[in-house]
Amino acid sequence: MRVAAKPLILHLPKLRPTANNIFTFRNFYWLPNKTPTETRTSSIKTLWPPLATQGISMAASPPPTVQVRDTIDLTDVEKKIFDRLLGTLRHFGLQNQLRVAGGWVRDKLLGKDCCDIDIALDNMLGSEFVDKVTEYLLFVGEEPQGIAVIPSNPEQSKHLETARMRICDMWIDFVNLRCEEYCDNSRIPTQQKFGTAEQDAYRRDLTINSLFYNINTSSVEDYTERGIEDLKSGRIVTPSPAKITFMDDPLRVLRAIRFGARFEFTLDEELKKAAAHEDVKAALGAKISRERIGTEIDLMISGNQPVKAMANICDLTLFWVVFSLPPKFEPSVPEGCDRLCIDYLDATWNLIQLIGVSTFDEEQRRLCLYAAMFLPLRKTIYKDKKGKEIPVVNYIFRESLKRKVSDVETVMNVHNSIDKFLSLIPFLASNENVQLSDIEWGKQYADVPVTSQLRVLTGFLLREIKVFWRVSLLLSTLLYKIDCTEDLQSNHFDLNKLRDAFVAVESAMVELGLEKVWDVKPLVNGKEIMNVLQLKSGGPLVREWQQKLLAWQLAHPSGTSEEGLEWMKETHSKRVKME
Protein backbone atom coordinates (compact mmCIF):
# COMPACT_ATOMS: atom_id res chain seq x y z
CA MET A 1 0.00 0.00 0.00
CA ARG A 2 1.33 3.41 -0.91
CA VAL A 3 0.87 6.04 1.75
CA ALA A 4 -1.19 8.86 0.35
CA ALA A 5 1.09 11.71 -0.59
CA LYS A 6 0.33 15.29 0.21
CA PRO A 7 0.82 17.19 -3.02
CA LEU A 8 3.37 19.89 -3.41
CA ILE A 9 1.34 23.00 -4.12
CA LEU A 10 2.55 25.97 -6.09
CA HIS A 11 0.23 28.85 -5.21
CA LEU A 12 -0.42 30.99 -8.22
CA PRO A 13 -2.11 34.29 -8.86
CA LYS A 14 -5.58 34.35 -7.33
CA LEU A 15 -8.22 34.82 -9.97
CA ARG A 16 -10.51 37.74 -9.23
CA PRO A 17 -13.30 38.74 -11.62
CA THR A 18 -13.18 42.29 -12.84
CA ALA A 19 -16.06 44.35 -14.12
CA ASN A 20 -15.95 42.61 -17.48
CA ASN A 21 -15.67 39.18 -15.84
CA ILE A 22 -11.98 38.78 -16.69
CA PHE A 23 -9.65 37.46 -14.00
CA THR A 24 -6.73 39.46 -12.64
CA PHE A 25 -3.83 38.40 -10.43
CA ARG A 26 -2.99 38.97 -6.79
CA ASN A 27 0.23 38.09 -5.00
CA PHE A 28 1.62 34.59 -5.27
CA TYR A 29 4.28 32.51 -3.54
CA TRP A 30 6.12 29.19 -3.76
CA LEU A 31 5.13 26.75 -1.03
CA PRO A 32 7.12 23.47 -1.19
CA ASN A 33 9.62 24.74 1.38
CA LYS A 34 7.36 27.50 2.63
CA THR A 35 9.91 30.04 1.49
CA PRO A 36 8.69 33.07 -0.45
CA THR A 37 10.46 33.70 -3.73
CA GLU A 38 10.39 36.31 -6.42
CA THR A 39 8.97 35.73 -9.85
CA ARG A 40 11.36 34.33 -12.43
CA THR A 41 10.32 34.71 -16.04
CA SER A 42 13.59 34.20 -17.87
CA SER A 43 13.51 31.80 -20.79
CA ILE A 44 14.95 28.29 -20.77
CA LYS A 45 18.29 27.71 -22.40
CA THR A 46 19.81 24.24 -22.40
CA LEU A 47 22.36 22.89 -24.83
CA TRP A 48 23.00 19.40 -26.17
CA PRO A 49 26.46 18.93 -27.66
CA PRO A 50 26.69 17.57 -31.22
CA LEU A 51 26.85 13.79 -31.29
CA ALA A 52 30.08 12.28 -32.60
CA THR A 53 29.86 10.50 -35.91
CA GLN A 54 32.26 7.85 -34.64
CA GLY A 55 29.70 6.43 -32.21
CA ILE A 56 27.19 7.78 -29.75
CA SER A 57 27.02 6.51 -26.20
CA MET A 58 24.77 7.27 -23.30
CA ALA A 59 27.60 7.92 -20.90
CA ALA A 60 26.46 9.58 -17.71
CA SER A 61 26.54 13.35 -17.87
CA PRO A 62 25.36 16.00 -15.45
CA PRO A 63 21.63 16.67 -15.90
CA PRO A 64 20.82 20.12 -17.24
CA THR A 65 19.58 22.82 -14.93
CA VAL A 66 16.27 23.97 -16.28
CA GLN A 67 14.69 27.30 -15.50
CA VAL A 68 11.17 26.61 -14.30
CA ARG A 69 8.74 29.42 -13.63
CA ASP A 70 7.44 29.93 -10.13
CA THR A 71 4.05 30.83 -11.54
CA ILE A 72 1.80 29.93 -14.41
CA ASP A 73 1.01 33.09 -16.32
CA LEU A 74 -2.40 32.76 -17.89
CA THR A 75 -3.12 34.41 -21.19
CA ASP A 76 -6.24 36.53 -21.54
CA VAL A 77 -7.91 33.70 -23.45
CA GLU A 78 -7.03 31.14 -20.77
CA LYS A 79 -8.44 33.45 -18.08
CA LYS A 80 -11.70 33.71 -20.01
CA ILE A 81 -11.90 29.95 -20.49
CA PHE A 82 -11.31 29.19 -16.82
CA ASP A 83 -13.79 31.91 -15.87
CA ARG A 84 -16.48 30.13 -17.91
CA LEU A 85 -15.70 26.81 -16.25
CA LEU A 86 -15.76 28.22 -12.72
CA GLY A 87 -18.93 30.08 -13.61
CA THR A 88 -20.49 26.75 -14.53
CA LEU A 89 -19.64 25.35 -11.08
CA ARG A 90 -21.14 28.34 -9.32
CA HIS A 91 -24.26 28.40 -11.50
CA PHE A 92 -25.16 24.77 -10.74
CA GLY A 93 -23.71 24.62 -7.24
CA LEU A 94 -21.29 21.87 -8.26
CA GLN A 95 -18.48 20.75 -5.97
CA ASN A 96 -16.16 19.51 -8.71
CA GLN A 97 -12.46 20.22 -8.68
CA LEU A 98 -11.38 21.25 -12.17
CA ARG A 99 -7.80 20.43 -13.06
CA VAL A 100 -5.78 21.02 -16.20
CA ALA A 101 -3.71 17.90 -16.67
CA GLY A 102 -0.34 17.00 -18.09
CA GLY A 103 1.42 18.75 -20.94
CA TRP A 104 -0.20 22.18 -20.58
CA VAL A 105 1.01 22.46 -16.98
CA ARG A 106 4.52 21.30 -17.89
CA ASP A 107 4.83 23.68 -20.83
CA LYS A 108 3.46 26.68 -18.94
CA LEU A 109 5.96 26.14 -16.12
CA LEU A 110 8.69 26.02 -18.77
CA GLY A 111 7.46 29.32 -20.18
CA LYS A 112 6.26 27.72 -23.41
CA ASP A 113 2.98 28.37 -25.20
CA CYS A 114 0.51 25.49 -25.21
CA CYS A 115 -2.91 25.32 -26.83
CA ASP A 116 -3.70 21.77 -25.66
CA ILE A 117 -5.94 22.15 -22.60
CA ASP A 118 -7.20 18.88 -21.09
CA ILE A 119 -9.56 19.21 -18.13
CA ALA A 120 -9.63 16.32 -15.63
CA LEU A 121 -12.82 15.99 -13.56
CA ASP A 122 -12.85 14.32 -10.17
CA ASN A 123 -16.41 12.94 -10.00
CA MET A 124 -18.15 13.49 -13.31
CA LEU A 125 -17.86 12.25 -16.89
CA GLY A 126 -16.64 14.74 -19.43
CA SER A 127 -19.85 14.57 -21.44
CA GLU A 128 -21.93 15.39 -18.35
CA PHE A 129 -19.84 18.44 -17.56
CA VAL A 130 -19.90 19.66 -21.17
CA ASP A 131 -23.70 19.59 -20.99
CA LYS A 132 -23.49 21.83 -17.92
CA VAL A 133 -21.06 24.22 -19.58
CA THR A 134 -23.32 24.39 -22.63
CA GLU A 135 -26.33 25.26 -20.50
CA TYR A 136 -24.35 27.89 -18.59
CA LEU A 137 -23.05 29.55 -21.76
CA LEU A 138 -26.58 29.81 -23.12
CA PHE A 139 -27.68 31.29 -19.79
CA VAL A 140 -25.06 34.08 -20.02
CA GLY A 141 -25.87 34.73 -23.68
CA GLU A 142 -22.99 32.93 -25.39
CA GLU A 143 -23.35 30.43 -28.20
CA PRO A 144 -21.73 27.01 -27.46
CA GLN A 145 -19.37 25.83 -30.22
CA GLY A 146 -18.17 22.51 -31.62
CA ILE A 147 -19.56 20.16 -29.01
CA ALA A 148 -18.51 16.56 -29.62
CA VAL A 149 -18.09 13.31 -27.73
CA ILE A 150 -15.19 11.12 -28.79
CA PRO A 151 -15.90 7.49 -27.80
CA SER A 152 -13.22 5.38 -26.21
CA ASN A 153 -10.93 3.64 -28.70
CA PRO A 154 -8.24 1.66 -26.86
CA GLU A 155 -6.49 0.69 -30.10
CA GLN A 156 -5.78 4.38 -30.67
CA SER A 157 -4.82 5.06 -27.03
CA LYS A 158 -8.25 6.50 -26.22
CA HIS A 159 -9.11 4.50 -23.13
CA LEU A 160 -11.92 6.75 -21.94
CA GLU A 161 -14.69 8.70 -23.53
CA THR A 162 -13.60 12.28 -24.12
CA ALA A 163 -15.93 15.23 -24.46
CA ARG A 164 -14.76 18.22 -26.47
CA MET A 165 -16.00 21.72 -27.10
CA ARG A 166 -14.70 25.09 -28.23
CA ILE A 167 -14.55 27.89 -25.69
CA CYS A 168 -13.17 31.25 -26.76
CA ASP A 169 -12.14 29.63 -30.07
CA MET A 170 -9.96 27.01 -28.34
CA TRP A 171 -10.64 23.29 -28.24
CA ILE A 172 -10.96 21.98 -24.68
CA ASP A 173 -11.06 18.27 -23.82
CA PHE A 174 -12.87 16.98 -20.73
CA VAL A 175 -12.24 13.57 -19.16
CA ASN A 176 -12.57 12.11 -15.68
CA LEU A 177 -9.69 11.22 -13.39
CA ARG A 178 -9.07 7.50 -13.52
CA CYS A 179 -7.12 4.53 -12.29
CA GLU A 180 -6.43 1.50 -14.51
CA GLU A 181 -5.51 -2.16 -14.40
CA TYR A 182 -3.86 -4.03 -17.27
CA CYS A 183 -3.58 -7.65 -18.35
CA ASP A 184 -0.25 -9.20 -19.31
CA ASN A 185 -0.61 -9.28 -23.10
CA SER A 186 -2.28 -5.96 -23.86
CA ARG A 187 -1.79 -2.25 -23.28
CA ILE A 188 -5.58 -1.87 -23.10
CA PRO A 189 -6.77 -1.50 -19.49
CA THR A 190 -8.95 -4.40 -18.31
CA GLN A 191 -10.59 -2.27 -15.64
CA GLN A 192 -11.08 1.47 -15.36
CA LYS A 193 -12.87 3.48 -12.72
CA PHE A 194 -13.03 6.94 -11.25
CA GLY A 195 -9.80 7.68 -9.46
CA THR A 196 -8.34 10.32 -7.25
CA ALA A 197 -5.97 12.97 -8.52
CA GLU A 198 -3.11 11.09 -6.88
CA GLN A 199 -4.05 7.79 -8.53
CA ASP A 200 -4.35 9.55 -11.88
CA ALA A 201 -0.93 11.16 -11.40
CA TYR A 202 0.79 7.86 -10.63
CA ARG A 203 -0.75 6.12 -13.64
CA ARG A 204 0.79 8.67 -16.05
CA ASP A 205 3.88 8.05 -18.12
CA LEU A 206 6.33 10.58 -16.67
CA THR A 207 6.55 12.71 -13.56
CA ILE A 208 6.88 15.88 -15.65
CA ASN A 209 3.55 14.95 -17.29
CA SER A 210 1.81 14.16 -13.99
CA LEU A 211 1.35 17.73 -12.77
CA PHE A 212 -2.08 19.32 -12.39
CA TYR A 213 -3.18 22.92 -12.40
CA ASN A 214 -6.17 23.21 -10.07
CA ILE A 215 -8.42 25.87 -11.57
CA ASN A 216 -10.46 26.15 -8.37
CA THR A 217 -7.45 27.03 -6.22
CA SER A 218 -5.13 28.52 -8.88
CA SER A 219 -2.36 26.16 -7.82
CA VAL A 220 -0.10 23.53 -9.33
CA GLU A 221 -0.48 20.12 -7.69
CA ASP A 222 2.44 17.70 -7.66
CA TYR A 223 1.07 14.46 -6.23
CA THR A 224 4.14 12.38 -7.08
CA GLU A 225 6.26 14.96 -5.20
CA ARG A 226 8.75 14.69 -8.07
CA GLY A 227 7.21 16.45 -11.04
CA ILE A 228 8.54 19.94 -10.36
CA GLU A 229 11.85 18.62 -9.04
CA ASP A 230 12.41 16.49 -12.17
CA LEU A 231 11.36 19.39 -14.38
CA LYS A 232 13.93 21.65 -12.72
CA SER A 233 16.71 19.05 -12.87
CA GLY A 234 15.85 18.05 -16.44
CA ARG A 235 15.21 14.38 -15.77
CA ILE A 236 12.87 11.89 -17.43
CA VAL A 237 11.45 9.68 -14.66
CA THR A 238 8.36 7.49 -14.35
CA PRO A 239 5.97 8.15 -11.41
CA SER A 240 5.77 4.44 -10.54
CA PRO A 241 8.59 1.85 -10.88
CA ALA A 242 9.78 2.06 -14.46
CA LYS A 243 9.42 -1.59 -15.42
CA ILE A 244 5.86 -1.76 -14.07
CA THR A 245 5.01 1.46 -15.90
CA PHE A 246 6.44 0.14 -19.18
CA MET A 247 4.93 -3.33 -18.88
CA ASP A 248 1.52 -1.75 -18.30
CA ASP A 249 1.93 0.29 -21.48
CA PRO A 250 5.18 -0.25 -23.45
CA LEU A 251 4.43 2.73 -25.68
CA ARG A 252 5.57 4.83 -22.72
CA VAL A 253 9.15 3.76 -23.50
CA LEU A 254 9.03 5.66 -26.78
CA ARG A 255 7.21 8.58 -25.20
CA ALA A 256 9.95 8.83 -22.56
CA ILE A 257 12.60 8.88 -25.29
CA ARG A 258 10.65 11.47 -27.29
CA PHE A 259 10.15 13.84 -24.38
CA GLY A 260 13.77 13.38 -23.31
CA ALA A 261 14.93 14.45 -26.77
CA ARG A 262 12.38 17.24 -27.13
CA PHE A 263 13.36 18.95 -23.89
CA GLU A 264 16.99 17.75 -23.97
CA PHE A 265 16.45 16.06 -20.60
CA THR A 266 18.40 13.15 -19.12
CA LEU A 267 16.84 9.69 -18.97
CA ASP A 268 16.73 8.25 -15.45
CA GLU A 269 19.04 5.26 -14.90
CA GLU A 270 16.23 3.02 -13.64
CA LEU A 271 14.16 4.03 -16.66
CA LYS A 272 16.99 3.10 -19.05
CA LYS A 273 17.47 -0.32 -17.42
CA ALA A 274 13.75 -1.02 -17.61
CA ALA A 275 13.48 0.15 -21.23
CA ALA A 276 16.31 -2.19 -22.27
CA HIS A 277 14.89 -5.17 -20.36
CA GLU A 278 14.01 -8.14 -22.57
CA ASP A 279 10.49 -8.36 -21.12
CA VAL A 280 9.80 -4.73 -21.98
CA LYS A 281 11.24 -5.10 -25.49
CA ALA A 282 9.08 -8.17 -26.09
CA ALA A 283 6.02 -6.31 -24.80
CA LEU A 284 6.77 -3.33 -27.03
CA GLY A 285 6.87 -5.58 -30.07
CA ALA A 286 3.78 -7.60 -29.09
CA LYS A 287 1.38 -5.23 -27.31
CA ILE A 288 1.77 -1.99 -29.28
CA SER A 289 0.31 -1.49 -32.73
CA ARG A 290 2.81 -0.64 -35.43
CA GLU A 291 0.79 2.48 -36.27
CA ARG A 292 1.35 3.84 -32.76
CA ILE A 293 5.07 3.04 -32.93
CA GLY A 294 5.30 4.75 -36.31
CA THR A 295 3.55 7.85 -34.98
CA GLU A 296 5.99 8.19 -32.09
CA ILE A 297 9.01 7.71 -34.37
CA ASP A 298 7.69 10.30 -36.80
CA LEU A 299 7.27 12.82 -33.98
CA MET A 300 10.91 12.20 -33.00
CA ILE A 301 12.23 12.52 -36.56
CA SER A 302 10.22 15.71 -37.03
CA GLY A 303 11.33 17.13 -33.67
CA ASN A 304 14.15 19.39 -32.62
CA GLN A 305 16.55 16.58 -31.56
CA PRO A 306 16.03 13.61 -33.92
CA VAL A 307 19.59 12.33 -33.52
CA LYS A 308 19.39 12.25 -29.75
CA ALA A 309 16.06 10.41 -29.90
CA MET A 310 17.30 7.76 -32.36
CA ALA A 311 20.60 7.42 -30.48
CA ASN A 312 18.69 6.63 -27.29
CA ILE A 313 16.62 4.03 -29.14
CA CYS A 314 19.86 2.49 -30.36
CA ASP A 315 21.61 2.59 -26.99
CA LEU A 316 18.62 1.03 -25.26
CA THR A 317 18.88 -1.87 -27.77
CA LEU A 318 15.44 -1.04 -29.14
CA PHE A 319 16.48 -0.25 -32.72
CA TRP A 320 15.57 -3.60 -34.29
CA VAL A 321 12.45 -3.84 -32.13
CA VAL A 322 11.20 -0.55 -33.52
CA PHE A 323 12.58 -0.95 -37.04
CA SER A 324 11.81 -4.65 -37.34
CA LEU A 325 13.11 -6.55 -40.38
CA PRO A 326 11.46 -9.33 -42.40
CA PRO A 327 12.34 -12.93 -41.42
CA LYS A 328 14.67 -13.46 -44.40
CA PHE A 329 16.73 -10.90 -46.30
CA GLU A 330 20.11 -10.49 -47.98
CA PRO A 331 22.81 -9.49 -47.61
CA SER A 332 22.88 -10.03 -43.86
CA VAL A 333 22.93 -6.98 -41.62
CA PRO A 334 26.42 -6.62 -40.15
CA GLU A 335 26.94 -6.25 -36.43
CA GLY A 336 26.76 -2.60 -35.44
CA CYS A 337 24.54 -1.69 -38.39
CA ASP A 338 22.15 0.08 -36.03
CA ARG A 339 24.99 2.30 -34.85
CA LEU A 340 25.99 2.94 -38.45
CA CYS A 341 22.44 4.09 -39.17
CA ILE A 342 22.68 6.61 -36.33
CA ASP A 343 26.07 7.81 -37.56
CA TYR A 344 24.65 8.62 -40.98
CA LEU A 345 21.65 10.31 -39.40
CA ASP A 346 23.96 12.40 -37.23
CA ALA A 347 26.18 13.42 -40.15
CA THR A 348 23.14 14.34 -42.24
CA TRP A 349 21.56 16.38 -39.45
CA ASN A 350 24.81 18.32 -38.93
CA LEU A 351 25.27 18.83 -42.66
CA ILE A 352 21.74 20.24 -42.96
CA GLN A 353 22.55 22.75 -40.22
CA LEU A 354 25.79 23.69 -41.95
CA ILE A 355 24.20 24.10 -45.39
CA GLY A 356 21.29 26.04 -43.93
CA VAL A 357 18.02 24.69 -42.59
CA SER A 358 16.07 26.99 -44.92
CA THR A 359 17.44 25.07 -47.91
CA PHE A 360 14.97 22.29 -47.09
CA ASP A 361 11.34 22.60 -46.10
CA GLU A 362 9.99 20.55 -43.16
CA GLU A 363 8.85 17.64 -45.32
CA GLN A 364 12.14 17.47 -47.18
CA ARG A 365 14.10 17.56 -43.94
CA ARG A 366 11.93 14.86 -42.34
CA LEU A 367 12.24 12.42 -45.25
CA CYS A 368 15.91 13.28 -45.70
CA LEU A 369 16.57 12.11 -42.14
CA TYR A 370 14.65 8.88 -42.70
CA ALA A 371 16.53 8.23 -45.95
CA ALA A 372 19.86 8.97 -44.24
CA MET A 373 19.19 6.68 -41.29
CA PHE A 374 18.43 3.75 -43.58
CA LEU A 375 21.33 4.31 -45.99
CA PRO A 376 23.20 1.20 -44.75
CA LEU A 377 20.11 -0.88 -45.66
CA ARG A 378 19.36 0.61 -49.07
CA LYS A 379 20.70 -2.42 -50.98
CA THR A 380 19.31 -5.06 -48.64
CA ILE A 381 16.36 -6.97 -50.10
CA TYR A 382 13.82 -9.64 -49.20
CA LYS A 383 11.33 -11.64 -51.25
CA ASP A 384 7.59 -11.21 -50.82
CA LYS A 385 5.06 -14.04 -51.04
CA LYS A 386 5.18 -13.91 -54.83
CA GLY A 387 8.97 -14.15 -54.87
CA LYS A 388 9.41 -10.52 -55.90
CA GLU A 389 12.53 -8.81 -54.58
CA ILE A 390 11.61 -5.85 -52.35
CA PRO A 391 13.97 -3.43 -50.55
CA VAL A 392 14.03 -3.97 -46.78
CA VAL A 393 13.59 -0.21 -46.30
CA ASN A 394 10.23 -0.58 -48.02
CA TYR A 395 9.29 -3.24 -45.44
CA ILE A 396 10.33 -1.01 -42.54
CA PHE A 397 8.11 1.85 -43.70
CA ARG A 398 5.11 -0.27 -44.68
CA GLU A 399 5.14 -2.97 -42.00
CA SER A 400 7.30 -1.84 -39.06
CA LEU A 401 6.14 1.79 -38.95
CA LYS A 402 2.94 1.67 -41.01
CA ARG A 403 3.76 5.04 -42.53
CA LYS A 404 1.85 6.55 -45.42
CA VAL A 405 2.56 5.33 -48.93
CA SER A 406 3.97 8.67 -50.08
CA ASP A 407 6.70 8.47 -47.41
CA VAL A 408 8.02 5.11 -48.56
CA GLU A 409 7.77 6.08 -52.23
CA THR A 410 9.79 9.25 -51.67
CA VAL A 411 12.49 7.53 -49.62
CA MET A 412 12.75 4.71 -52.17
CA ASN A 413 13.03 7.27 -55.00
CA VAL A 414 15.78 9.09 -53.12
CA HIS A 415 17.68 5.85 -52.50
CA ASN A 416 17.26 4.75 -56.12
CA SER A 417 18.58 8.06 -57.43
CA ILE A 418 21.75 8.08 -55.30
CA ASP A 419 23.86 5.90 -57.61
CA LYS A 420 22.98 8.13 -60.57
CA PHE A 421 23.88 11.22 -58.58
CA LEU A 422 27.18 9.65 -57.52
CA SER A 423 28.08 9.03 -61.17
CA LEU A 424 27.36 12.67 -62.10
CA ILE A 425 28.94 14.48 -59.13
CA PRO A 426 32.53 14.45 -60.54
CA PHE A 427 31.37 16.08 -63.78
CA LEU A 428 29.00 18.57 -62.14
CA ALA A 429 31.63 19.60 -59.59
CA SER A 430 34.31 20.10 -62.29
CA ASN A 431 31.94 21.30 -65.06
CA GLU A 432 33.50 18.77 -67.45
CA ASN A 433 31.73 16.91 -70.24
CA VAL A 434 30.26 13.56 -69.25
CA GLN A 435 32.03 10.41 -70.38
CA LEU A 436 29.12 8.12 -71.25
CA SER A 437 31.44 5.14 -71.18
CA ASP A 438 31.63 5.70 -67.40
CA ILE A 439 27.85 6.02 -66.95
CA GLU A 440 25.94 2.86 -67.77
CA TRP A 441 22.49 4.38 -67.40
CA GLY A 442 23.33 7.25 -69.76
CA LYS A 443 24.32 5.25 -72.84
CA GLN A 444 20.82 5.52 -74.28
CA TYR A 445 21.52 9.22 -74.89
CA ALA A 446 24.64 8.64 -77.02
CA ASP A 447 23.17 10.60 -79.96
CA VAL A 448 22.95 13.76 -77.83
CA PRO A 449 25.77 16.28 -78.55
CA VAL A 450 28.67 15.78 -76.13
CA THR A 451 28.44 19.33 -74.84
CA SER A 452 24.80 18.79 -73.86
CA GLN A 453 24.98 15.29 -72.36
CA LEU A 454 25.56 16.49 -68.80
CA ARG A 455 22.50 18.73 -68.95
CA VAL A 456 20.39 15.95 -70.45
CA LEU A 457 21.40 13.31 -67.91
CA THR A 458 21.00 15.67 -64.98
CA GLY A 459 17.67 16.89 -66.32
CA PHE A 460 16.24 13.37 -66.55
CA LEU A 461 17.51 12.58 -63.06
CA LEU A 462 15.86 15.66 -61.57
CA ARG A 463 12.62 14.84 -63.35
CA GLU A 464 12.65 11.51 -61.53
CA ILE A 465 13.21 12.89 -58.04
CA LYS A 466 11.57 16.32 -58.49
CA VAL A 467 11.45 18.58 -55.39
CA PHE A 468 13.52 16.10 -53.39
CA TRP A 469 16.58 16.45 -55.61
CA ARG A 470 18.49 18.43 -52.99
CA VAL A 471 17.79 15.64 -50.48
CA SER A 472 19.21 13.09 -52.88
CA LEU A 473 22.18 15.35 -53.64
CA LEU A 474 22.95 15.79 -49.93
CA LEU A 475 22.96 12.04 -49.28
CA SER A 476 24.98 11.41 -52.42
CA THR A 477 27.51 14.00 -51.28
CA LEU A 478 27.71 12.19 -47.96
CA LEU A 479 28.38 8.86 -49.69
CA TYR A 480 30.77 10.20 -52.31
CA LYS A 481 33.90 8.00 -52.20
CA ILE A 482 32.57 6.27 -49.05
CA ASP A 483 31.30 2.71 -48.85
CA CYS A 484 28.37 2.92 -46.44
CA THR A 485 28.89 -0.67 -45.33
CA GLU A 486 32.22 0.30 -43.78
CA ASP A 487 32.70 1.19 -40.16
CA LEU A 488 32.61 4.97 -39.97
CA GLN A 489 35.35 4.92 -37.34
CA SER A 490 37.71 4.91 -40.32
CA ASN A 491 35.72 7.50 -42.27
CA HIS A 492 35.74 10.83 -40.51
CA PHE A 493 33.27 13.21 -42.12
CA ASP A 494 34.74 16.56 -42.99
CA LEU A 495 31.46 18.47 -42.89
CA ASN A 496 32.93 21.68 -44.27
CA LYS A 497 34.24 19.88 -47.35
CA LEU A 498 30.93 18.08 -47.76
CA ARG A 499 29.10 21.39 -47.52
CA ASP A 500 31.39 22.91 -50.16
CA ALA A 501 30.83 19.93 -52.47
CA PHE A 502 27.06 20.17 -52.04
CA VAL A 503 27.04 23.89 -52.80
CA ALA A 504 29.27 23.44 -55.86
CA VAL A 505 27.06 20.75 -57.39
CA GLU A 506 23.87 22.59 -56.47
CA SER A 507 25.19 25.73 -58.15
CA ALA A 508 26.11 23.77 -61.27
CA MET A 509 22.56 22.42 -61.54
CA VAL A 510 21.08 25.87 -61.10
CA GLU A 511 23.45 27.30 -63.73
CA LEU A 512 22.30 24.58 -66.12
CA GLY A 513 18.78 25.94 -65.65
CA LEU A 514 17.46 22.66 -64.21
CA GLU A 515 16.20 23.76 -60.79
CA LYS A 516 12.54 23.05 -61.72
CA VAL A 517 13.03 21.00 -64.85
CA TRP A 518 10.24 18.59 -63.81
CA ASP A 519 7.74 21.38 -64.53
CA VAL A 520 8.90 21.71 -68.13
CA LYS A 521 6.18 20.60 -70.57
CA PRO A 522 7.15 18.48 -73.62
CA LEU A 523 7.26 20.52 -76.83
CA VAL A 524 5.79 17.67 -78.85
CA ASN A 525 2.79 15.58 -77.83
CA GLY A 526 1.97 11.95 -78.56
CA LYS A 527 -0.47 12.73 -81.35
CA GLU A 528 2.15 14.73 -83.28
CA ILE A 529 4.63 11.86 -82.87
CA MET A 530 2.05 9.38 -84.22
CA ASN A 531 1.50 11.61 -87.27
CA VAL A 532 5.22 11.64 -88.06
CA LEU A 533 5.47 7.87 -87.60
CA GLN A 534 2.15 7.35 -89.43
CA LEU A 535 0.74 5.28 -86.59
CA LYS A 536 -2.94 4.77 -85.80
CA SER A 537 -2.38 3.96 -82.11
CA GLY A 538 0.26 4.57 -79.47
CA GLY A 539 2.66 2.06 -77.99
CA PRO A 540 6.31 1.48 -77.05
CA LEU A 541 7.56 3.26 -80.16
CA VAL A 542 5.69 6.44 -79.25
CA ARG A 543 7.05 6.31 -75.69
CA GLU A 544 10.57 5.80 -77.05
CA TRP A 545 10.29 8.91 -79.23
CA GLN A 546 8.79 10.90 -76.38
CA GLN A 547 11.98 10.24 -74.40
CA LYS A 548 14.16 11.06 -77.39
CA LEU A 549 12.33 14.33 -78.00
CA LEU A 550 12.56 15.24 -74.33
CA ALA A 551 16.33 14.58 -74.49
CA TRP A 552 16.50 16.83 -77.58
CA GLN A 553 14.51 19.49 -75.69
CA LEU A 554 16.90 19.33 -72.72
CA ALA A 555 19.85 19.59 -75.09
CA HIS A 556 18.25 22.57 -76.86
CA PRO A 557 16.53 24.60 -74.10
CA SER A 558 15.69 27.40 -76.57
CA GLY A 559 14.34 25.03 -79.24
CA THR A 560 10.78 25.21 -80.59
CA SER A 561 8.25 22.45 -81.20
CA GLU A 562 8.68 22.92 -84.97
CA GLU A 563 12.45 22.42 -84.65
CA GLY A 564 11.89 19.36 -82.49
CA LEU A 565 9.53 17.80 -85.02
CA GLU A 566 11.94 18.57 -87.85
CA TRP A 567 14.75 16.86 -85.92
CA MET A 568 12.51 13.87 -85.31
CA LYS A 569 11.60 13.56 -89.02
CA GLU A 570 15.26 13.65 -90.04
CA THR A 571 16.32 11.16 -87.38
CA HIS A 572 13.43 8.81 -88.14
CA SER A 573 14.16 9.00 -91.87
CA LYS A 574 17.81 8.05 -91.29
CA ARG A 575 16.73 5.10 -89.14
CA VAL A 576 14.33 3.85 -91.82
CA LYS A 577 17.03 4.04 -94.49
CA MET A 578 19.50 2.16 -92.27
CA GLU A 579 16.94 -0.57 -91.68
Side-chain angles (χ1 to χ4, degrees), residues 52-65:
T53 57
Q54 283 71 44
I56 306 163
S57 67
M58 293 171 61
S61 59
T65 300

Side-chain angles (χ1 to χ4, degrees), residues 257-298:
I257 292 171
R258 175 162 63 85
F259 282 112
R262 174 183 171 185
F263 295 114
E264 303 178 65
F265 284 5
T266 303
L267 299 182
D268 177 68
E269 288 301 319
E270 180 191 348
L271 182 150
K272 289 193 288 187
K273 290 178 183 178
H277 197 283
E278 291 302 320
D279 292 344
V280 173
K281 289 194 288 185
L284 178 61
K287 293 171 66 173
I288 307 301
S289 71
R290 284 291 159 178
E291 289 86 353
R292 294 296 295 143
I293 290 176
T295 297
E296 287 294 325
I297 295 301
D298 206 60

